[in-house]
Each structure stands twice: as structure tokens, then as C-alpha cells.
Amino acid sequence: MLTIHADSRGDAVLVTGGRIEAVGPLEELTAAYPSARVRRWPGILTPGFVNPHGTELLEETYHPDPREADALGTEPLTGDALTALALDDARWGASARRGVQRMFAHGTVAAACAPLRNRAVRDAVQRTGLELLPRGPRFAGVPALDPLASALPPTTPPALAAGSPARFAVFDVRDEPELTERGAGTCVATVVAGRLVFRRR
């Protein structure tokens, strides 16, 4: 199925399967592909972010299940709080899936990771479609679900282009400076491998 994703500025991408078929103004793409489904999003369409702290957020952090909120709260757990949980493989895998979903909710389409040692985490992440990029065992900055809050210059994938993988994110802001000011929590949609993996309700 052909799908056109368009933002408030009239910028659009045409997606087929897991690839971008075309990039251009919405009017041009709808004229050239009249049968395509059109998704209109508030804000700006971007290539999304690469979170530089994939290892720390997925293998060194526990993301509580909402059903555990009374006992554990809702914020990610690290350090002594993580050690005290004595997680088994099932909980590690579930935590990784929730962690990836929370990364998607901040417009992350890829994460930089050292090789993941925990098989349950590795298998869970692979099934989500999040791209993992290689990096060393330790990385500067502050691990954060919002890549703009990591105290590092934000990293983005290459610009959207025909023939490239269909991965991008839309943020409900007027422009890039407002995105920097308000943060990646303004994400309204994230697409990975042509799939809408996050949509803010």
C-alpha cells in the first residue's frame, strides 16, 4: 500500500513497504499518486533521532510495567534500584520492549549501542525494528529517553530521500528551533521500516 505522510508545512514522503518512494510537496505527491492513502500530521516531519545511549537505556535500565506503578513508580530504574529487582529473562525482555516504545515516543528511530550481552534484551529489541548502530562500551552525556536532553549535540539519520529506509518522526512544533526548545516529547508519530510504531493519542 502506498502511504503519503505530510506535515503542517506541506512537506511529504511517499512510503511503500519499508522504503521511501518519493519526497516532495504534498500537492505534487498526491497528484502523482492519487490512489495513495494520506496521513496528515501536525508539526514538522524529520528524519528522527539516533539516541546515543541505547546500551544504558535498554540493558542497564528497567522500565516498569504500568501495572507496577504503585510499587515501582513510572520512571526508569537504574543502579541499586535495578539491582534490587533481580530480574529474570522475561522481565528483562518486557522492559526492553517498553523502553523501545518510550524511545519511539520521543522520535528515536535508531540507537547507538555496544553489543547487547543480555539475550532477552537483544531478542526483544530486534523484534521492534529499532535500528542499532555500533558504538563503544561507554559514552559521554546523560542517558535520557529524550535525545535532546542527553547533554550532547543531537544526532539524526541521513536526510529523507527516495530509496532510503522509511524511518522518520513528526513533532508537533512550528520549526526546528522550537523542537530544540520544547524537546522530543513533542513527538506525535514515529515510523520505522514503513510501520507506524508510535502515534500520540
Side-chain angles (χ1 to χ4, degrees):
M1 176 182 290
L2 295 174
T3 302
I4 296 172
H5 295 264
D7 67 12
S8 298
R9 300 186 292 192
D11 296 331
V13 296
L14 174 70
V15 173
T16 177
R19 311 294 292 182
I20 293 177
E21 185 76 16
V23 176
L26 174 60
E27 294 79 3
E28 291 183 9
L29 294 187
T30 53
Y33 302 91
S35 63
R37 177 177 61 175
V38 178
R39 289 185 179 272
R40 291 179 171 85
W41 302 104
I44 63 173
L45 194 154
T46 77
F49 290 111
V50 176
N51 193 305
H53 295 107
T55 303
E56 292 79 5
L57 291 171
L58 298 172
E59 202 169 49
E60 299 175 7
T61 300
Y62 181 69
H63 299 273
D65 188 299
R67 293 170 295 184
E68 300 174 307
D70 288 345
L72 301 179
T74 59
E75 294 302 309
L77 301 177
T78 60
D80 291 342
L82 172 63
T83 301
L85 295 175
L87 301 176
D88 59 16
D89 285 348
R91 292 183 77 189
W92 268 121
S95 171
R97 287 191 295 272
R98 290 189 294 270
V100 170
Q101 189 59 35
R102 291 167 182 175
M103 294 168 81
F104 286 155
H106 289 83
T108 290
V109 298
C113 289
L116 295 174
R117 299 163 296 174
N118 186 314
R119 181 175 179 178
V121 171
R122 186 170 63 249
D123 290 348
V125 173
Q126 286 176 346
R127 288 192 289 268
T128 68
L130 179 72
E131 183 179 9
L132 299 182
L133 304 177
R135 51 152 260 212
R138 288 292 139 201
F139 208 76
V142 179
L145 290 168
D146 182 345
L148 295 172
S150 68
L152 294 172
T155 303
T156 61
L160 302 177
S164 63
R167 56 172 181 255
F168 49 86
V170 186
F171 299 90
D172 189 10
V173 294
R174 293 185 302 272
D175 50 30
E176 285 76 4
E178 185 179 356
L179 173 57
T180 300
E181 177 184 350
R182 294 180 56 195
T186 55
C187 181
V188 292
T190 302
V191 171
V192 170
R195 297 183 297 114
L196 184 63
V197 294
F198 171 75
R199 178 178 185 176
R200 189 167 303 282
R201 300 185 184 280

